[in-house]
Structure formats: C-alpha cells, structure tokens
Amino acid sequence: MNQATPQSGQQNTVAASTIRLTMSQALVKFLCAQFISHDSVADSNAGSAQTEPLFAGVFAIFGHGNVAGIGEALFAAQSKLPTYRAHNEQGMAHAAIAYAKAQQRRRIMVCTSSVGPGATNMVTAAALAHANRLPLLLLPGDHFANRTPDPVLQQIEHFGNPMIAATDCFQPVSRYFDRINRPEQLIHSLPVAVQTLLDPVNCGPVTLALPQDVQAEAFDYPVSLFEPRIHYIRRPAAEPRELAAAVALLKQAKKPLIIAGGGVHYSQACAALSQFASSQGIPVAETQAGKGALAWTHPFAVGGIGVTGSAAANLLAQEADVILAIGTRLQDFTTQSRTAFAGAHQRLIQLNIGSFDAGKHHALPLVGDAATVLAQLQDALADRQSDPAWSARAALLDHQWQQQYERLTADPLSSLAEATPSSSRQQLPSDAQVLGAVKRQSAATDVVVCAAGGLPGELHKLWRAEGPGTYHVEYGFSCMGYEIAGALGVKMASPSREVFVVVGDGSYLMLNSELATSVMLGQKITVVLLDNRGFGCINRLQRGTGNAGFNNLLEDCHGDAPDIDFAAHAKALGAQSERVGSIAALEAALQRARQSKRSYLIEIKTDPLTSTDNGSWWDVAIPQVSALPGVQAAHASYSEQKKQQPY
Ligand SMILES: Cc1ncc(C[n+]2csc(CCOP(=O)(O)OP(=O)(O)O)c2C)c(N)n1
Ligand SMILES: [Mg+2]
C-alpha cells in the first residue's frame, strides 16, 4: 500500500516522472496506450495508418467486486476504450474470444466481472480460449486483499488456506495468471500480460484477479508505464536444419497432402498457402479451425479432413506419402483418433510456430511462422516437379464430393432430391438441407458461426467456405452456448459482414442471453435455430455405441416435454423472429432477415436421426462388460478399430 504524498485530485503529478492513480485507473490507462501494428513491423508512431488500439473494448457486468473500482476508471475512459454491458459473464467472454478469433488474434477484448459467481461464470470461457489458443484479457474482481471485512458476500472461505479464492479456478485455464494484491504489481504484471496475449506460441487467456480494495487504492505510477507502445506479431523463420530436412522429404514426395489448421489464419498465411499449393500441385485439406484458408473453388482445395471431413480429403490422407501439417494441433477429430494417416508408408511434417505442436505424432518438426516458412519452402522447392496424376486424383475425388454435396443439401422438395429414392427422404429436413438453404441465401462475404452439436460436423463436411474470415466454428472446446455470443463478437469485429449463426435447440437453451445484447448494441446477427427436440448428435452417438436412446432427445426423457416456442422467446428478447415449416419457407425468411436491421431468429424443425456419414472413426471408449447385447457388439467392433491405432 502506498501512503506517500496524499493528493486531493485523482491524477495529480507527485513528481515529473510519476502520476498518482488508482490501480484501476492505471490499468485502464495502460490498456489505452497499447497499439498493434498490422504490418508485422514495429512502427515508430502510435496512431499511424497501420496501427490500431490493441484493446478494442471492455465487456463488463458490474457487482460489488468491480463497480466502484474498475467501474469508475472505465467510465472516465469511454472515448478511448468503450465499455459494453452484457447479460451473462460466460456469454460476454465468448463474444470477446470470437472477436479476437475474427481479428486473427490481432485485437483483443477485455472482460471484467464481479467477485464470486460473476468471476467463475467466466472460467468456462477461459478454458475455451485456452483450448483454442485465443487471446482474452479477464479482469475478475476478488475479495479484499486486506481481509478486514472478511468474509465478504460471495467469498469462498477455504478453512486451511485464506489465500485461496474463487478466482484460483482460472489458474489451470489461463496462460498467465496474477492476483494484483498491491497496486505497484501492475508495473511488472501488465507487460507480461500483453506479451502473453500477443505471443503466437503462448497465446491464450490472461487473468488478472483484482481484489476490490486494491482496485481503489492509489499509487504514484511511473509516467513511462503509460507511454504508447506499438506491438507486432513475431514471424520467426525456420531453423536451417529443420528446413533442409523438410525440403528433402517434400522433394521426393510423390503424393503430398497439406493439412491447414487455424495457425494458417493466425499467421495470415492464406494467400501464401494458396500460391504454394498451386505452384507445387499439392492438395490442401482443412481442419475446423483451418477451414476457409482456401476458397472451396480453389483448384487444390479438397475440403475438411477427419471425423467431420469430406470423403475426398480423408481418402487422400490415406493415400498420401508425405503430409505437411501447417498450424494445427492435430486433435483427434483431425486424425480420426490417430488412424487417418498413420500408415508405414507415410511421413508427417509439422510446420508450427510452437515446438509443443511441431513434435507431436513423431513428426519431423518445422518450427516457425507459417507465412514465413511457406516462403522459405517455396524458394527451396522451386525446381520440384509435381505429379499430374496425383493432382488429377485429388480433383476427381473433390468433384465426386461436390456431387454428394449437391445431393445432400438440395431442398427435399426440389427436382434434384426427387430423383433420389423416397425411402431415403425424411419428413423433416436434415441439417444438411438447412445448411444448403443458408448457403444458397448467402453472399460470399457472409460469415457462418457455430460451435457444438451435430452442426459443426455438417458444416465442416458441407459448408462451401468462400475464403478467410467466412467460416467461424469453435471446435477446440466445442462449447454449447458459444454460438450466439460468438456471433455477437464476430459482428463487432466485422461490421460490414452479415453474420449467420446456425445453432441447435440444445445450445440455444444453454446460453442465448447475448441475443438481447446484440439487439441492445445494434449488432445485428441472424440466427437459424434447428429444433430437433434434443441433443441429436449425442443421441446418435449413444445409439452408435450400442445403447438405447436415453436422456438425450426430449422424447427419451421425463414426462411431457414442452414444445418450446423459440421464435416467441427470441421476440421476447427484442429480436425479430419467425418459425418456418419448409426449406423453401426458410429461404424466403432468410431474405427477410437479410433486409432486417435488427437481430433475427428463424426457427425450423429438423430430423434428429439423420446426419452425413463419411465412414470415419472416432475413439469413444465402449464398456468392456455390459448386460446390453448392443454394447457387447459395439465393444467387439471397437476392439478391432483400436488395432488401427499405431501407438
Ligand atoms: C457446455 C457443453 N455441455 C455439453 C456438451 C456435450 N454435447 C455436445 S453436443 C450436445 C448436444 C447439442 O444439442 P443441440 O445444440 O440441440 O444440437 P444437436 O446435437 O441436436 O444438433 C451435447 C450435450 C458440450 N459440447 N458443451
Ligand atoms: Mg438439438
């Protein structure tokens, strides 16, 4: 606690080199002084054409843990750092994360909450940002550092350790965590926080827990702390030995395949990848986070890969002799639980900014920034000959998949669908048919947002992404309830784009309150709600693992499940809305939604039992003993599949 030189005003200068501020005022002043350079080279002048404020704004829900301290500082700073009122702390943090993802990790939102439940409501979002490697600055309130009024409202009391607070829940899900128990700690904590948020390897959530008494406490801060700083994203080149090894492997590859992950977007390497793929004649498959790196029309684009991928990409992955994975964590959905490209004839190169990822799967590591290293590879492979037969094979498989797309996404009442046997048609539309309608009513610049349920799989397989910035699916944490709040963040990051959310009834019911925030902020989003009366994808998984339907679809639960009027619910939150009964009616409604200035929800009933099968495998553990014959059979086939996993 700093007791030196009492001052009457808030910002009186004690000496030329210090300024007296509360910890909250200093924190906000520091945030306002950070800028990002968009050309990856440090500029000397803050505010030049290539720089923008690093922190775009603050989502805040106040309580006694932050209203008087941080609240006072934010009020004064509104012209530089706008504050947005949200409805749910998890939701506002989802919006903040989506904003950063849509800005390719170059601009960041801040979230401040009260102490206790307001803080712990953000823990799920922190975990989401951690899993997805997305920057987020969390400022939860905390109980008094001086402990005088303990126990305060919403304080957890740990009998054996008074230092433990609810905010400790953030520790395992933060890339950097600090509790600011004295105002001068900020001087050392803030630069580390910013470095963490902008480090392409270590990027993720930063939590600064702020005891409410310290928020209000004044200190003579060095003026230099608040000098404008321009940050940039580092672009390290590959180390020569790793580059040489990767080049040697690629030179002798007859059937190479690229897997593009989210790192391609965050490195802003999409154009470099497009050029590299074309000049080298290498097909490009995409993970969920990587989707949209190439437009679906690109001659070497072969679609999503893995459990939720296209048949084209998955076949090519089996046949490839060298796989160049770029900017991907290679999680189980991408690798089909390590069975998709584990053949003895295959070699894997992992181009990744982080050695943690680059060394996975016994890969040949190629550590560096995607855009920089692609340029290095391009130079080194200038005389490499691509095999026209392999390019032709990729084009043929992709063409066959596109024909599948046309059949699966057609309006069931259209002539195309009429040509398919009637027994394969359902009374209610499938998710794929709804996505076809949304796509037909979309412009090339529109964004689609999703996160959990059956829809991410359908989107990964079937959505025709038009390029970077058009496909936003959170599938690292696959968090139900991300969708609507995430769409709000995407809209704030991309105001000129129309933003579509496709969301299941389950996810909508879990977290929809930021629909009201989107109305309040005038940030229009269009929500297409697919009501299949329950947790459709988990019901299918349950049946696929030999079980009966239980506790997933509403009809398999208790008593009389209500027919929820989602359109009325959205209207009650201030959005425009309607319920439609066919694909044609959905398309007409989407046209009305496009004209609307206000957030718009369209509800449609869908079939819970249908999804697009691509023959892939996912490791979901089946009970070794069970009284159910279906489970016994499922375990027998599971044991066979497990043999495909190499290690
Ligand atoms: C917060 C959270 N809880 C639970 C899950 C597990 N889960 C994944 S999808 C799903 C059901 C989603 O239902 P809905 O949104 O209606 O989509 P549908 O499967 O019907 O397409 C559940 C429970 C999850 N991903 N996230
Ligand atoms: Mg559902």
Side-chain angles (χ1 to χ4, degrees):
M1 216 179 307
N2 185 288
Q3 300 292 347
T5 326
Q7 301 287 328
S8 53
Q10 286 182 337
Q11 301 199 356
N12 294 340
T13 303
V14 171
S17 59
T18 62
I19 178 168
R20 189 162 177 79
L21 300 168
T22 68
M23 184 269 268
S24 301
Q25 292 158 2
L27 172 53
V28 169
K29 193 173 174 64
F30 176 89
L31 296 180
C32 292
Q34 309 307 305
F35 295 85
I36 181 80
S37 163
H38 285 301
D39 58 6
S40 298
V41 178
D43 289 342
S44 50
N45 301 317
S48 77
Q50 281 89 14
T51 65
E52 280 185 285
L54 175 61
F55 294 99
V58 182
F59 280 110
I61 294 182
F62 293 139
H64 72 95
N66 63 343
V67 70
I70 281 283
E72 189 264 358
L74 289 174
F75 177 78
Q78 287 174 82
S79 63
K80 282 189 170 169
L81 188 67
T83 296
Y84 304 107
R85 156 78 151 72
H87 287 90
N88 173 292
E89 290 89 355
Q90 183 183 337
M92 75 184 185
H94 286 174
I97 294 164
Y99 181 94
K101 181 174 163 77
Q103 293 274 358
Q104 293 157 341
R105 310 200 298 196
R106 276 155 180 79
R107 298 196 69 202
I108 296 163
M109 285 272 198
V110 185
C111 292
T112 172
S113 75
S114 187
V115 65
T120 52
N121 269 358
M122 299 197 294
V123 172
T124 299
L128 188 157
H130 197 284
N132 285 282
R133 321 266 175 94
L134 290 167
L136 168 71
L137 179 56
L138 295 172
L139 303 175
D142 220 327
H143 57 74
F144 282 71
N146 66 26
R147 304 203 187 134
T148 312
D150 279 11
V152 298
L153 178 72
Q154 300 173 326
Q155 178 175 347
I156 61 157
E157 287 188 280
H158 194 285
F159 295 161
N161 186 344
M163 289 182 291
I164 291 180
T167 50
D168 283 303
C169 297
F170 287 99
Q171 294 212 31
V173 288
S174 296
R175 292 272 172 195
Y176 178 70
F177 174 91
D178 199 2
R179 182 171 290 120
I180 307 298
N181 279 320
R182 294 180 57 85
E184 61 269 42
Q185 284 175 9
L186 272 189
I187 299 165
H188 305 289
S189 201
L190 284 173
V192 186
V194 171
Q195 284 307 317
T196 306
L197 291 166
L198 290 177
D199 184 332
V201 180
N202 203 27
C203 179
V206 165
T207 304
L208 301 180
L210 306 177
Q212 70 161 282
D213 51 342
V214 188
Q215 286 179 39
E217 198 173 326
F219 182 78
D220 297 313
Y221 286 94
V223 170
S224 59
L225 182 65
F226 309 109
E227 279 166 11
R229 264 170 228 177
I230 302 173
H231 303 272
Y232 62 97
I233 307 290
R234 286 184 204 95
R235 292 191 173 280
E239 196 263 346
R241 276 175 301 189
E242 289 188 356
L243 185 65
V247 165
L249 203 51
L250 284 165
K251 270 195 173 153
Q252 48 96 44
K254 297 266 178 294
K255 300 173 176 180
L257 174 73
I258 290 172
I259 300 176
V264 174
H265 292 267
Y266 304 141
S267 161
Q268 298 184 333
C270 298
L273 176 63
S274 162
Q275 203 198 347
F276 181 78
S278 297
S279 71
Q280 294 294 324
I282 305 181
V284 177
E286 294 169 333
T287 70
Q288 281 279 17
K291 193 165 160 99
L294 301 188
W296 72 277
T297 47
H298 189 285
F300 287 92
V302 294
I305 189 166
V307 179
T308 54
S310 75
N314 285 340
L315 269 172
L316 290 166
Q318 278 172 20
E319 296 170 14
D321 55 0
V322 173
I323 290 177
L324 172 61
I326 309 177
T328 163
R329 302 188 300 143
L330 288 183
Q331 55 125 301
D332 64 347
F333 262 76
T334 303
T335 66
Q336 294 191 44
S337 303
R338 299 195 182 223
T339 61
F341 43 86
H345 65 290
Q346 294 183 312
R347 289 299 308 273
L348 172 65
I349 304 167
Q350 280 252 59
L351 164 49
N352 204 292
I353 190 94
S355 57
F356 178 88
D357 294 300
K360 280 179 184 165
H361 298 260
H362 306 284
L364 191 70
L366 182 57
V367 175
D369 165 64
T372 308
V373 179
L374 277 171
Q376 290 180 288
L377 287 173
Q378 181 83 326
D379 285 349
L381 293 169
D383 57 348
R384 178 184 162 270
Q385 298 289 313
S386 68
D387 180 355
W390 178 239
S391 306
R393 170 90 180 132
L396 173 71
L397 290 176
D398 187 59
H399 175 69
Q400 289 171 350
W401 181 251
Q402 297 307 332
Q403 287 177 320
Q404 280 261 66
Y405 170 90
E406 298 292 354
R407 192 177 57 78
L408 291 164
T409 60
D411 182 340
L413 300 178
S414 75
S415 55
L416 184 65
E418 289 296 337
T420 65
S422 58
S423 58
S424 71
R425 300 207 314 266
Q426 314 81 42
Q427 285 185 316
L428 290 171
S430 65
D431 289 357
Q433 289 161 349
V434 170
L435 293 183
V438 177
K439 183 66 197 173
R440 287 190 291 277
Q441 294 303 322
S442 295
T445 53
D446 295 348
V447 194
V448 67
V449 180
C450 192
L455 283 162
E458 298 299 296
L459 283 162
H460 195 209
K461 278 176 253 188
L462 299 172
W463 189 260
R464 288 177 160 174
E466 305 284 347
T470 63
Y471 183 87
H472 185 120
V473 175
E474 185 283 294
Y475 212 60
F477 212 49
S478 188
C479 184
M480 289 171 75
Y482 174 86
E483 296 86 347
I484 286 171
L488 168 62
V490 173
K491 182 66 183 174
M492 292 171 86
S494 340
S496 62
R497 294 179 188 264
E498 285 287 309
V499 178
F500 291 87
V501 192
V502 287
V503 63
D505 53 315
S507 267
Y508 180 88
L509 287 174
M510 201 168 275
L511 188 49
N512 52 59
S513 38
E514 271 29 81
L515 185 57
T517 312
S518 82
V519 173
M520 182 171 77
L521 297 179
Q523 300 285 356
K524 179 220 168 173
I525 58 174
T526 298
V527 182
V528 179
L529 187 141
L530 291 82
D531 180 15
N532 59 10
R533 292 186 56 76
F535 301 154
C537 69
I538 307 298
N539 172 62
R540 293 194 296 272
L541 182 61
Q542 189 170 47
R543 289 163 182 262
T545 52
N547 294 279
F550 164 59
N551 206 49
N552 280 310
L553 296 185
L554 296 182
E555 69 188 30
D556 297 330
C557 301
H558 333 262
D560 283 341
D563 180 11
I564 296 167
D565 190 338
F566 293 96
H569 182 270
K571 192 161 278 173
L573 294 182
Q576 286 184 265
S577 66
E578 53 183 300
R579 183 188 275 198
V580 296
S582 70
I583 293 293
L586 170 62
E587 294 199 42
L590 282 162
Q591 288 172 10
R592 289 187 286 278
R594 184 174 286 280
Q595 299 309 319
S596 171
K597 297 232 174 317
R598 181 179 280 249
S599 290
Y600 206 104
L601 180 139
I602 306 166
E603 174 191 345
I604 184 166
K605 301 270 183 231
T606 51
D607 176 8
L609 299 180
T610 309
S611 69
T612 305
D613 187 15
N614 63 359
S616 60
W617 183 68
W618 184 34
D619 192 340
V620 174
I622 312 287
Q624 291 186 331
V625 290
S626 171
L628 298 173
V631 175
Q632 291 164 8
H635 182 261
S637 90
Y638 176 68
S639 302
E640 284 305 305
Q641 293 281 6
K642 285 290 280 182
K643 292 179 187 158
Q644 307 298 315
Q645 283 175 320
Y647 43 84

